[in-house]
Amino acid sequence: MPLTPTDKIWMDGDFVDWADATVHVLTHTMHYGTGVFEGIRAYPTPNGVAVFRLRDHIKRLFASAKVFMIDIPYTVDELVDATIALVRVNGLDDGCYIRPLVYLGYGEMGLNPIPCPVKVSIAAWPWGTYLGDEGVANGVSTKISSWRRHDPNAVPTAAKGTGMYVNSSLAKMEALRGGYDEAILLSADGNVSECTGENIFIVLNGHLVTPHTSDSGALAGITQRSVETIARDLGYEVVYEQMIRTDLYAAEEAFLTGTAAEVVPIRSVDDRDVGTGKPGPITKQLQQAYFSTVRGEIDRYKDWLDYVR
Ligand code: PMP
């Protein structure tokens, strides 16, 4: 889906025109993948557009930066305020996707990133659900990737580092070329980790299971945590447990979670239907509850919303 340009992008404290938000070709992060980023969504609610779990995302951005020893020259509050101002300035009242990026700019080359200037940008644009409306409604087909998720001792999988996403891109291309919608990656030691930009849940004996994020190399997803809370509040047991590929085949239901993708049923894994091959009742219930939550329709979760106006 091509990008839909908006008016302004926030760059190092200023709103610049979309077309002028450019960088030098010798930007350090372009060469070595030394940046960190976030993906956030804002949704229309009965009280106007609101950003979902904004502070949690910005805090994770700072946590990622810490791992990479990048000192962000702003506070969490300043980036929260900048994000809200950006959505307002661009008039994105129907909701949007928001992409904060911390990168190392032009200045020095070579593998020591420390001397490079730290730059921050935040862009926002309207973006439909990442895996498509059809996927949200009827589920996506998945394939275990031949690419393994990074070993957490090779790169810090708990951080959202830009360069680390070559792994996800390789797996995504392989899945799409093979005729599948999404890839599922196994960890270096062969357990289920996550999808290319989403966490994974299965339903087994009526309760929810999702892989440990630390040892599976999966990112600790904010959507995963939100769905965990919502599921517990609805009375489901949720466990973080090691999972192997045959657990996916045996699952009654499976779904994936992510800010961009939202909550999407998994229809099949390696050409085997998950359950009946149709979105299961627990998946549908949680998906519905998630959409109501982000749209400000459930009072209990209203603290997760930052209103723009
Ligand atoms: N895993 C990976 C590799 C991701 O890039 C993402 C998206 N940030 C997720 C999981 C889901 O995380 P979240 O729910 O916080 O968007």
Side-chain angles (χ1 to χ4, degrees), residues 57 60 160 165 194 196-199 219 221-223 257-259:
H57 280 283
R60 188 171 66 184
K160 262 182 93 68
Y165 277 78
E194 60 176 348
T196 59
E198 305 89 16
N199 294 103
L219 185 75
I222 290 170
T223 319
T257 61
T259 298

Side-chain angles (χ1 to χ4, degrees), residues 38-75:
E38 269 303 318
I40 312 174
R41 270 191 191 275
Y43 290 90
T45 79
N47 300 314
V49 63
V51 186
F52 186 63
R53 301 197 73 165
L54 172 57
R55 189 164 291 273
D56 294 322
H57 280 283
I58 298 296
K59 279 187 178 162
R60 188 171 66 184
L61 182 72
F62 277 77
S64 296
K66 183 176 183 188
V67 172
F68 284 86
M69 295 178 137
I70 298 173
D71 266 333
I72 300 179
Y74 300 96
T75 62

Side-chain angles (χ1 to χ4, degrees), residues 117-184:
V118 178
K119 314 289 277 179
V120 183
S121 65
I122 312 173
W125 64 91
W127 207 18
T129 192
Y130 179 60
L131 294 172
D133 293 337
E134 163 68 20
V136 168
N138 297 318
V140 290
S141 62
T142 65
K143 175 96 184 87
I144 306 278
S145 184
S146 72
W147 296 98
R148 291 286 171 101
R149 179 77 180 148
H150 306 286
D151 178 333
N153 287 306
V155 288
T157 49
K160 262 182 93 68
T162 57
M164 289 160 44
Y165 277 78
V166 291
N167 175 244
S168 287
S169 288
L170 288 165
K172 186 77 186 182
M173 282 190 292
E174 183 188 63
L176 293 176
R177 286 286 168 99
Y180 303 89
D181 299 314
E182 184 53 296
I184 297 172

Side-chain angles (χ1 to χ4, degrees), residues 176-307:
L176 293 176
R177 286 286 168 99
Y180 303 89
D181 299 314
E182 184 53 296
I184 297 172
L185 288 93
L186 303 181
S187 63
D189 55 6
N191 296 303
V192 173
S193 175
E194 60 176 348
C195 297
T196 59
E198 305 89 16
N199 294 103
I200 189 165
F201 281 88
I202 60 173
V203 178
L204 268 183
N205 302 317
H207 66 262
L208 291 150
V209 186
T210 188
H212 289 293
T213 41
S214 49
D215 57 9
S216 80
L219 185 75
I222 290 170
T223 319
Q224 181 189 36
R225 267 49 182 184
S226 306
V227 167
E228 174 192 351
T229 301
I230 293 167
R232 290 217 169 104
D233 289 344
L234 287 168
Y236 294 107
E237 190 187 334
V238 183
V239 291
Y240 285 79
E241 216 165 68
Q242 214 170 60
M243 195 187 285
I244 58 171
R245 68 194 292 166
T246 47
D247 293 324
L248 301 172
Y249 304 160
E252 289 138 33
E253 301 180 28
F255 60 91
L256 50 86
T257 61
T259 298
E262 305 174 301
V263 177
V264 178
I266 296 176
R267 166 160 62 79
S268 64
V269 180
D270 292 344
D271 304 306
R272 292 153 178 88
D273 281 350
V274 174
T276 61
K278 302 226 154 36
I282 297 176
T283 301
K284 285 207 282 204
Q285 185 188 14
L286 293 172
Q287 188 188 47
Q288 191 50 53
Y290 180 76
F291 283 133
S292 300
T293 299
V294 297
R295 289 186 163 74
E297 292 159 12
I298 304 184
D299 240 27
R300 179 174 208 159
Y301 308 120
K302 62 178 188 328
D303 289 351
W304 284 345
L305 300 175
D306 272 306
Y307 289 92

